[in-house]
Amino acid sequence: MVIKVTNSSKRKQDIAICETSTISETEERIMENFPVDLEDFFSTYPEICERNLEFTATPNKPLKRDGVLFITQRRQATSDIRENPKVQILGSHAAMTCHIVVMRHTESYVASIGHFDNFSCWQFGDESSAHKEGLKVMMEEIEFLSKGDLEEGHIQVSVFGGYTDERGEAAKNSMALLSALHESDRLLEMVHFCVGPYNTCKDKQGKNTAILIGIAMDLRSQIIFPASFPWNNFEDFSTQLQDRVLRRTGQGKI
């Protein structure tokens, strides 16, 4: 399998926003050796560190519920806006030790999002890692929906979450995900790996906490951005259940 790191995504983003870019030539590097730890990974790929910093410097955007396909912990969803235009945004709440993975195909624009928790990865061992299975499902669904565009492009991957916690559990989760991606049989381009020190700040008590509140991807523009979901709370969930019961009993609007 090949994980590559390029500056092409940065160049395209610059052109989309500023209509020009200081990057004149596309460069790419292949991850030949698996890193010892996160520090080793970040020191080897400073271009990813730069993109991480740009991402966390972007303000969180509050999203309305309409058009958002929201997933919770241990969930995954894939969408093709060409076939399902009602889903305009994929999103999930950012995790503390959990991680959110966003994948997109560069040609078909089919995208997938997964929320991977800490418990279901390294505690069961590498060979039975739920991460490997979850990532595999995401890639297979992207490939299936991409159809004729599949061979014209490749899959880009961005990983978010996992602040620097005292027990180091988030770092184990980060490395387990990176290992699962590295051992896949697909060509993958790593765009963000916004974990550990790049998703950590101090709270009012001086303790480490996560910078990111939530993650979302606009399926039309293909832009990934920090997001918040004000409607994702227990009261809203209860209302959704009540509405569903009313519809099924014929007492509510369809």
Side-chain angles (χ1 to χ4, degrees):
M1 177 274 170
V2 175
I3 288 182
K4 67 177 183 178
V5 178
T6 78
N7 60 359
S8 62
S9 58
K10 170 62 175 173
R11 184 172 184 273
K12 291 178 181 178
Q13 182 183 35
D14 289 346
I15 293 174
I17 297 175
C18 307
E19 298 185 352
T20 185
S21 176
T22 57
I23 301 174
S24 58
E25 296 183 2
T26 299
E27 300 176 355
E28 70 175 45
R29 292 191 291 155
I30 303 300
M31 182 189 294
E32 297 179 351
N33 300 315
F34 189 76
V36 176
D37 50 27
L38 289 179
E39 184 178 358
D40 183 22
F41 176 80
F42 290 133
S43 64
T44 305
Y45 303 102
E47 54 268 68
I48 288 184
C49 302
E50 180 181 349
R51 290 195 288 265
N52 291 342
L53 291 172
E54 290 178 354
F55 190 86
T56 53
T58 306
N60 285 292
K61 181 179 180 180
L63 294 177
K64 296 181 180 179
R65 193 190 318 179
D66 293 343
V68 176
L69 176 54
F70 181 87
I71 66 165
T72 55
Q73 192 171 327
R74 301 189 190 182
R75 297 290 185 270
Q76 171 271 333
T78 303
S79 188
D80 181 356
I81 197 165
R82 300 171 299 180
E83 296 187 0
N84 187 8
K86 290 185 178 180
V87 176
Q88 300 173 14
I89 292 176
L90 298 178
S92 185
H93 55 78
M96 301 295 281
T97 57
C98 297
H99 290 55
I100 297 168
V101 178
V102 180
M103 295 185 181
R104 63 177 289 269
H105 192 272
T106 57
E107 192 67 25
S108 69
Y109 290 174
V110 175
S112 187
I113 186 170
H115 192 129
F116 296 82
D117 69 5
N118 182 56
F119 180 75
S120 62
C121 66
W122 54 270
Q123 292 188 3
F124 294 112
D126 293 338
E127 295 304 318
S128 59
S129 173
H131 282 18
K132 292 181 181 178
E133 293 302 317
L135 294 170
K136 181 181 178 182
V137 169
M138 293 174 69
M139 289 183 277
E140 287 178 344
E141 291 185 352
I142 288 176
E143 291 168 349
F144 177 79
L145 293 174
S146 293
K147 300 175 182 176
D149 293 323
L150 180 61
E151 301 302 324
E152 302 299 321
H154 62 275
I155 296 176
Q156 291 182 333
V157 183
S158 291
V159 181
F160 307 94
Y163 81 118
T164 304
D165 63 298
E166 294 181 355
R167 298 173 60 180
E169 292 184 353
K172 294 178 182 178
N173 202 358
S174 300
M175 293 303 293
L177 271 172
L178 187 59
S179 176
L181 291 168
H182 187 258
E183 294 176 12
S184 171
D185 57 359
R186 274 84 165 178
L187 168 65
L188 303 172
E189 177 189 351
M190 183 73 72
V191 180
H192 301 92
F193 202 66
C194 197
V195 304
Y198 293 95
N199 186 36
T200 303
C201 63
K202 298 290 185 181
D203 62 17
K204 294 180 179 180
Q205 287 72 43
K207 296 182 178 180
N208 285 354
T209 190
I211 297 173
L212 298 172
I213 298 174
I215 302 297
M217 178 178 185
D218 188 314
L219 294 176
R220 293 190 184 277
S221 68
Q222 295 285 288
I223 294 176
I224 306 172
F225 56 94
S228 61
F229 308 90
W231 39 268
N232 178 44
N233 53 46
F234 180 78
E235 181 179 352
D236 179 79
F237 178 67
S238 299
T239 301
Q240 291 182 50
L241 289 178
Q242 292 173 7
D243 290 344
R244 197 171 300 175
V245 170
L246 288 174
R247 287 196 298 270
R248 289 181 176 177
T249 57
Q251 302 176 54
K253 295 180 180 181
I254 303 297

